Amino acid sequence: MKRTGSFGFAAATILLILIAALSMTGTVMSRTSCSNAELEGYYRELEERLTEDTRSYLEEQGFCNSGIMVNRVVEADGRREYTVTVHHREIDRMSEEERVALAEKLALLTFADENCTFYHEFLTND
């Protein structure tokens, strides 16, 4: 009879340990997803500011109502690759050298982050 009691005690102990371990794992996972959500919110704000700054700069340069699109690719390791695409009929009429100079100016508006790379392109009717 003692063996049955010891077996029940051991089974209950193992069950409680498993419940505790699964609870801790769930807590850690929810904290990770929360921090990922916070990180995404942080980058979303930076991306919106980048779009606004780009629009303001282009308006100052005479390219009012430009089409601006910011696309991102997020790699599994967290690196981010952004492509900022701009469309305006006056940019379409610029020479390649003028477009390169404009892209260099726009590159100065990007946010500094070692995990991010930026590319600028212009939609043209060429």
Side-chain angles (χ1 to χ4, degrees):
M1 241 175 163
K2 278 190 162 185
R3 288 187 172 179
T4 307
S6 295
F7 178 75
F9 179 74
T13 302
I14 291 172
L15 181 64
L16 289 174
I17 290 171
L18 284 173
I19 290 171
L22 291 174
S23 296
M24 284 186 245
T25 303
T27 301
V28 170
M29 290 176 70
S30 69
R31 285 186 183 164
T32 302
S33 65
C34 181
S35 65
N36 284 342
E38 290 173 354
L39 187 62
E40 281 303 312
Y42 167 75
Y43 279 112
R44 191 172 303 114
E45 285 182 30
L46 291 176
E47 293 161 10
E48 288 173 8
R49 191 173 324 139
L50 172 62
T51 303
E52 291 169 10
D53 291 348
T54 301
R55 185 174 317 284
S56 294
Y57 178 79
L58 289 169
E59 286 179 2
E60 290 171 9
Q61 300 303 309
F63 303 109
C64 296
N65 299 319
S66 295
I68 302 166
M69 185 170 45
V70 177
N71 290 317
R72 73 168 179 242
V73 175
V74 181
E75 301 292 339
D77 63 359
R79 288 182 294 124
R80 292 168 176 265
E81 194 172 286
Y82 289 94
T83 303
V84 180
T85 306
V86 178
H87 174 70
H88 192 277
R89 69 176 172 254
E90 294 302 319
I91 294 173
D92 206 28
R93 297 177 184 144
M94 294 170 70
S95 69
E96 188 61 31
E97 293 80 23
E98 291 172 316
R99 287 186 202 138
V100 169
L102 180 58
E104 289 172 355
K105 298 285 186 184
L106 293 174
L108 298 174
L109 301 174
T110 59
F111 49 91
D113 189 310
E114 63 186 27
N115 291 322
C116 300
T117 54
F118 295 88
Y119 304 96
H120 289 80
E121 64 183 18
F122 302 104
L123 290 181
T124 59
N125 291 327
D126 292 341

